[in-house]
Amino acid sequence: MFAGQKLLQQTITSLAQVRMASSSSSGFRVALLQLTVTTDKSTNVANAVKRVHQAKLNGCTLAILPECFNSPYNTALFREYSEVIPGGDTCEALSQAAKSNEMYIVGGSIPEICDDKVYNTCTVWDPNGNLIAKHRKVHLFDINIPGGVCFKESDALAAGNTLNTFQLGKFKIGLGICYDIRFAEMATLYRKQGCDMLIYPSAFNVTTGPLHWSLLTRCRAVDNQAFVAVASPARVTDSNYVAWGHSMVVDPWGKILVEATEKDMDLFVDLDFGDRENMRKQIPTENQRRIDLYDTIDLKNKV
Ligand SMILES: NC(=O)CCC(=O)C(=O)O
């Protein structure tokens, strides 16, 4: 089967799943909104609000936006586009969208200004429009691949210092932003906190994306026996940072349930957490961890 045919089949499958019940005691339907991010903030925010409403019409309980969805992903522009959280225009729009659609929204991320520092911050809104969680990117994306991508978030951003979760009904969800997904320890801590799902609003790039994007997403899912969702902006080839796209949801077995192309598109998929319980029983790694060995390793003093 050609790659294009496979993607088409996955899209058809996800659309077929739309006809199933949108939310039940064993799960809910999630939307990944792979938007095109422009240089115009109000256009980006209006587009996000419109797409959240589409997700509602498709029976979703939760909508996930990409990293930096209201601003170009550009260290020179983060401060200019930054807003206070809550209270800025983007937060107001997300709060209103959550309330009017009676949905949960993981608001991708936006540049946040606080005490003159700028953070890369994800907000989470409940169906009453309340801000129920906030995650500041913990691991700043500073990499230099000659001939590939060179990016230094720390030129413009401060790092967050906390792990953050939220509750969607009986399901606990851990938050990270993009580069955070490379750090397995962080996801392990979320597992220890009892998370059923991990969500990473992201914007990988065309250098690292091809080999690492789905690999890391599947690793975090299998390591932690949890659902993992990664939401990217659509690819814009003439922008200064070209996003990989390929938003996806992976189940606890490491199976890609749904995957976008690089284009502007939305995905809708049902998550059944009953499967996760089965897997955790069948492969009980959580009870088999040899922390008696691991705890003897002094990671701080290893080079
Ligand atoms: N926005 C980011 O954190 C990008 C991370 C990325 O592309 C990577 O390779 O890691």
Side-chain angles (χ1 to χ4, degrees):
M1 188 185 287
F2 296 118
Q5 273 177 301
K6 196 170 158 216
L7 281 168
L8 182 63
Q9 193 178 56
Q10 283 168 338
T11 307
I12 291 166
T13 307
S14 69
L15 288 174
Q17 284 162 332
V18 163
R19 286 195 283 275
M20 294 164 56
S22 64
S23 169
S24 70
S25 61
S26 67
F28 54 85
R29 185 172 300 151
V30 62
L32 272 64
L33 308 179
Q34 188 167 292
L35 317 170
T36 301
V37 177
T38 72
T39 52
D40 186 68
K41 195 204 270 193
S42 50
T43 301
N44 296 333
V45 174
N47 190 23
V49 167
K50 192 174 84 190
R51 305 274 280 262
V52 167
H53 186 58
Q54 283 300 320
K56 174 67 179 182
L57 297 179
N58 281 284
C60 296
T61 300
L62 168 67
I64 307 173
L65 292 163
E67 181 180 27
C68 244
F69 79 91
N70 73 346
S71 145
Y73 189 61
N74 184 336
T75 49
L77 296 175
F78 287 148
R79 186 167 284 269
E80 182 187 325
Y81 281 73
S82 65
E83 295 181 18
V84 291
I85 294 177
D89 290 348
T90 305
C91 283
E92 288 302 310
L94 292 181
S95 169
Q96 188 52 38
K99 192 172 176 181
S100 60
N101 292 295
E102 297 180 327
M103 282 178 73
Y104 288 86
I105 300 176
V106 171
S109 76
I110 63 171
E112 174 197 11
I113 184 109
C114 180
D115 296 333
D116 204 39
K117 287 186 185 151
V118 182
Y119 298 90
N120 185 344
T121 305
C122 172
T123 57
V124 184
W125 305 88
D126 78 4
N128 294 315
N130 298 316
L131 179 65
I132 53 168
K134 175 170 125 167
H135 176 76
R136 289 174 172 161
K137 191 173 191 174
V138 167
H139 303 93
L140 295 183
F141 178 50
D142 286 0
I143 70 168
N144 183 3
I145 303 175
V149 67
C150 174
F151 205 91
K152 199 160 179 230
E153 278 193 322
S154 62
D155 280 344
L157 299 179
N161 292 316
T162 55
L163 303 191
N164 299 282
T165 64
F166 70 99
Q167 204 70 34
L168 194 163
K170 63 181 187 182
F171 308 109
K172 187 167 185 172
I173 301 179
L175 296 166
I177 300 176
C178 202
Y179 200 53
D180 284 337
I181 201 171
R182 287 191 180 269
F183 299 87
E185 296 91 336
M186 181 171 162
T188 305
L189 287 170
Y190 280 139
R191 177 182 179 145
K192 279 180 79 177
Q193 291 180 20
C195 287
D196 304 288
M197 179 176 186
L198 305 177
I199 296 178
Y200 298 89
S202 297
F204 262 51
N205 58 82
V206 289
T207 304
T208 58
L211 276 178
H212 294 172
W213 170 256
S214 76
L215 175 70
L216 287 164
T217 307
R218 296 183 62 222
C219 283
R220 296 297 82 84
V222 175
D223 286 350
N224 299 292
Q225 300 178 311
F227 285 92
V228 179
V230 284
S232 169
R235 191 176 305 170
V236 178
T237 45
D238 60 357
S239 84
N240 75 308
Y241 180 89
V242 183
W244 175 236
H246 292 270
S247 298
M248 65 172 66
V249 180
V250 174
D251 79 5
W253 284 94
K255 181 175 168 206
I256 298 174
L257 295 181
V258 68
E259 177 179 356
T261 65
E262 77 285 5
K263 297 196 184 338
D264 188 305
M265 64 195 295
D266 298 332
L267 304 171
F268 309 116
V269 65
D270 285 314
L271 308 184
D272 182 348
F273 288 80
D275 292 346
R276 187 193 63 97
E277 280 314 315
N278 289 340
M279 189 208 185
R280 286 190 173 189
K281 278 189 197 125
Q282 291 162 8
I283 311 178
T285 49
E286 178 61 11
N287 309 325
Q288 295 165 333
R289 295 169 65 239
R290 290 291 308 274
I291 49 173
D292 56 322
L293 291 180
Y294 316 149
D295 285 356
T296 62
I297 301 171
D298 182 357
L299 288 172
K300 279 212 174 87
N301 291 323
K302 296 265 174 218
V303 183

